[in-house]
Amino acid sequence: MSLEWILLGLRIVATLILYTFLGLAFYIVWRELKHLEAQAAPQAPSSYQLRVVAAAKDQALAVGETLPLQPVTVLGRAAENTIVVTDDSAAAAHARLHRENGVWWLEDLGSRTGTMLNDSPLSKPTPLAEGDIIGIGNLRFKLESR
């Protein structure tokens, strides 16, 4: 066997080793990217609800009742609201809850009697945290995730 054939064989072996290494490196990078993509995928937003924690006896809503929230939920006396409240001190469209970038916001819609958040009057749109208590007239709602 001549030296040229040996060198050709070594070149072929070196090329196979190089391509095997590159293939393995690309596979590892691809697998890591898929893993990171799965981690970064947005999780399904958990749904939220309002639980009635206080109500007058003549109210249509009972203590303990849960009301699912829509991405934009309007509370008030008018029938077209997402959640209809029968409290006489509630306005036709009293307050709005909306979700923005994963955060719930509460806003009073100019009601005469105002909206309470954790027993404090609401003066501007305010972000909510789970467990916050929203007050409209005699009604109290607690924000909960399901």
Side-chain angles (χ1 to χ4, degrees):
M1 219 191 234
S2 72
L3 184 60
E4 290 178 4
W5 284 104
I6 294 174
L7 289 176
L8 178 63
L10 288 174
R11 286 182 185 154
I12 291 173
V13 169
T15 304
L16 288 173
I17 291 172
L18 176 64
Y19 279 112
T20 303
F21 172 77
L22 288 175
L24 185 61
F26 280 121
Y27 171 74
I28 291 171
V29 169
W30 174 80
R31 189 181 62 191
E32 287 298 315
L33 286 174
K34 286 294 184 186
H35 179 70
L36 289 174
E37 181 182 22
Q39 285 181 337
Q43 303 297 324
S46 58
S47 55
Y48 282 81
Q49 64 188 9
L50 291 179
R51 180 176 301 276
V52 180
V53 292
K57 293 186 191 290
D58 60 344
Q59 300 267 328
L61 299 172
V63 173
E65 186 174 348
T66 58
L67 309 161
L69 291 178
Q70 303 299 318
V72 176
T73 301
V74 179
L75 295 92
R77 279 195 337 261
E80 63 268 5
N81 290 318
T82 315
I83 298 175
V84 178
V85 296
T86 57
D87 194 300
D88 290 336
S89 61
H94 195 97
R96 175 180 27 234
L97 288 109
H98 69 279
R99 191 165 184 166
E100 187 175 311
N101 297 327
V103 176
W104 283 101
W105 290 77
L106 176 64
E107 172 183 10
D108 183 77
L109 298 176
S111 65
R112 180 176 40 85
T113 57
T115 302
M116 304 293 279
L117 177 59
N118 299 323
D119 294 325
S120 297
L122 193 66
S123 59
K124 62 182 182 189
T126 305
L128 297 175
E130 188 168 352
D132 278 347
I133 303 294
I134 300 165
I136 296 176
N138 294 319
L139 289 165
R140 296 293 178 267
F141 303 97
K142 182 178 182 180
L143 180 67
E144 299 177 341
S145 64
R146 290 195 261 177

